[in-house]
Amino acid sequence: VLKLYDYHESGNGYKVRLLLHQLGVPFERIECDILKGETRTAEFLARNPNGRIPLLELEDGEHLAESNAIQWYLASGTPLLPSDRRGQAEVLQWMGFEQYSHEPFIAVLRFWHFAGQLSQHKPEEIASKVAGGEAALDVMARHLAERDFFVGGDYSIADIALYAYTHVAEEAGFRLERWPAVSSWLARVRSQPGHVPITCLEGLPG
Ligand SMILES: N[C@@H](CCC(=O)N[C@@H](CS)C(=O)NCC(=O)O)C(=O)O
């Protein structure tokens, strides 16, 4: 059975958890407390030298890191990844956007909030995270103004990648009502078959 090394608050981990549930793929979830350095032990680093979750252990004992690469692996050949070249490139485009223009602002600011680290950062650092997050939400809202989902009109792993930290952006101080197109997309994603919330920490028995 697949093993997912994960942390309960992690949106990156949630992308994989949610996808595994929606695909109905059995997995075991292993909690690693990142606040206690559990991804930085020699044992964990032997599995992922980059010291981060999510990490998927495959049936043959090999490992796959990076939330979006893991999603690609799992969704390949399913309706959650387009089969055409253009659609696949667009999924990668939005995943690249998520990792470079969204996660470093919204996810990092949320982490500073819940890890109690906000006071360790200068006001201008916080303001720059807020501005980056708002810019990302603006881009998403513009794209979603005329579309139900990010790529090709259908729900895909591009939506999961962006849903993970957008739906908890209020925990980072963003008021999502400012972006109605984003709020209605969040509701569409939530209504997909097999959807589970970020608080669902169950694996799936085989
Ligand atoms: N680009 C990576 C980011 C992974 C990442 O930042 N993981 C965080 C939790 S969300 C982590 O494991 N941090 C622990 C550490 O850095 O020690 C992905 O998308 O999977």
Side-chain angles (χ1 to χ4, degrees):
V1 69
L2 296 175
K3 282 188 190 156
L4 176 64
Y5 294 87
D6 191 13
Y7 175 62
H8 69 284
E9 291 276 13
S10 167
N12 286 317
Y14 174 51
K15 293 173 194 172
V16 181
R17 256 183 265 155
L18 171 56
L19 177 61
L20 285 162
H21 276 278
Q22 291 192 303
L23 293 175
V25 174
F27 73 103
E28 182 188 334
R29 204 187 75 88
I30 298 157
E31 173 81 358
C32 301
D33 190 341
I34 63 171
L35 301 179
K36 291 191 181 140
E38 288 179 6
T39 57
R40 300 288 164 162
T41 61
E43 197 188 351
F44 191 91
L45 290 171
R47 297 192 174 98
N48 179 11
N50 199 28
R52 289 179 170 82
I53 59 88
L55 182 71
L56 189 68
E57 190 169 300
L58 306 176
E59 288 91 345
D60 62 4
E62 296 291 325
H63 294 91
L64 199 51
E66 292 293 330
S67 59
N68 290 337
I70 300 171
Q71 285 208 85
W72 194 279
Y73 172 78
L74 293 169
S76 210
T78 79
L80 294 189
L81 177 62
S83 53
D84 63 300
R85 185 170 147 198
R86 172 72 186 269
Q88 292 194 343
E90 287 184 21
V91 170
L92 272 182
Q93 175 197 303
W94 286 108
M95 286 181 157
F97 166 82
E98 188 268 335
Q99 289 280 285
Y100 193 80
S101 302
H102 186 293
E103 198 257 20
F105 302 99
I106 296 178
V108 170
L109 195 53
R110 171 175 174 265
F111 181 78
W112 290 354
H113 274 269
F114 82 71
Q117 294 178 1
L118 214 50
S119 57
Q120 296 166 24
H121 296 276
K122 298 197 187 98
E124 52 270 34
E125 267 184 284
I126 296 170
S128 131
K129 293 291 179 202
V130 170
E134 288 177 347
L137 290 162
D138 285 345
V139 169
M140 291 171 67
R142 215 167 305 135
H143 188 72
L144 291 168
E146 289 161 16
R147 292 169 186 87
D148 282 348
F149 296 106
F150 273 90
V151 177
D154 293 315
Y155 177 65
S156 75
I157 52 174
D159 298 288
I160 297 183
L162 282 160
Y163 180 81
Y165 285 108
T166 305
H167 89 292
V168 288
E170 305 226 334
E171 295 173 17
F174 297 93
R175 307 277 304 268
L176 288 173
E177 70 213 26
R178 243 183 85 182
W179 295 273
V182 171
S183 301
S184 18
W185 164 78
L186 289 175
R188 280 192 293 281
V189 171
R190 254 193 311 274
S191 69
Q192 292 303 302
H195 183 86
V196 292
I198 194 167
T199 47
C200 170
L201 302 176
E202 301 303 314
L204 263 184

